[in-house]
Amino acid sequence: MKKLCVFASGSGSNFEAIAREIHVSLLVCDKPKAAVIERAKRLKIPFFLVNTKKPREDYEADIIKKLNEHGIQFIALAGYMRLIGETLLNAFENKIVNIHPSLLPSFAGKDGIKQAFDYGVKITGITVHYVDSGIDTGKIIEQAAVEVTNEDTLETLSEKIHKEEHKLYSKVLKNILIK
Ligand code: GAR
C-alpha cells in the first residue's frame, strides 16, 4: 500500500472519512484555524501547516521536504482550495488526485454544490480526478451521480453530496494505493 498524504483547507470531513478506511500518514493544511487540524489531532495523524505567505515555489518546496520525510508516495486533495503548482506537480507526477462536488466538467471551482443547485440541474454528483495545473481539470477516474429533488434545499443537497463523497473517495483511493 502506497503511503498517503491528504491535503485539506477546511472542515475535513473527507479527510476523516478517508482516515477511517485507509492509513493516512500525513495531513497538509494551508489554514491554521481549519477544523481539519482538530480532526488530525484527535485521530493522531501528524500534520504540516504550510506557510503560504511565501511564493508558491518556496512553500511547495517545503511541502515536498515534509512529504519526503514521511515517505509519502501519493497525495489526495480533499477540499484543498489552492492550485497545485509546477513544483509539486513535477515531484508527484500522476500521483495527485482530487475530489470535486459536481459532475465535472460542469461547475468547477468554488461552491460546486451551490453552482449546480442555483443552475437548477436535476442530476449533479461528485468527481474524483487526477490533478493537473488547472482548476478541477485533469483526467477523470470516477464519478457518482446524485439526484436533486424538488424538495431539496442547498443544505439537504450538500448533505447528500458529502455522504457520497465519503463513500466514493476512500473506495477509489484504496484501488489506486494498492497498485
Ligand atoms: C468537499 O465537498 C470537496 O469536494 C470540495 O470541498 C469540500 C471539502 O469538504 N472540494 C472542492 O470544491 C474542490 N474544488 P470537507 O473539508 O468537509 O472534506
Side-chain angles (χ1 to χ4, degrees), residues 14-15 23 25 41 43 46 98 103 118 122 135-136 140:
N14 278 283
F15 163 73
H23 178 74
S25 302
K41 285 180 185 164
L43 296 165
N98 179 42
L103 292 176
D118 289 348
K122 298 300 171 199
I135 299 177
D136 301 319
I140 289 173

Side-chain angles (χ1 to χ4, degrees), residues 8 17 33 62 71 81-82 102 129-130 146 150 164 172-173 175:
K33 290 180 183 155
D62 295 344
M81 304 312 263
R82 200 171 278 280
S102 75
H129 63 94
Y130 282 102
V146 172
N150 292 334
E164 286 303 313
V172 170
L173 284 169
N175 278 332

Side-chain angles (χ1 to χ4, degrees), residues 137-150:
T137 52
K139 197 174 185 310
I140 289 173
I141 303 165
E142 197 67 76
Q143 292 187 307
V146 172
E147 192 185 347
V148 189
T149 65
N150 292 334

Side-chain angles (χ1 to χ4, degrees), residues 143-167:
Q143 292 187 307
V146 172
E147 192 185 347
V148 189
T149 65
N150 292 334
E151 287 72 42
D152 269 324
T153 61
L154 180 59
E155 286 66 38
T156 60
L157 179 60
S158 301
E159 275 169 31
K160 288 200 281 191
I161 294 268
H162 292 311
K163 211 170 144 195
E164 286 303 313
E165 287 189 321
H166 299 163
K167 278 194 284 183

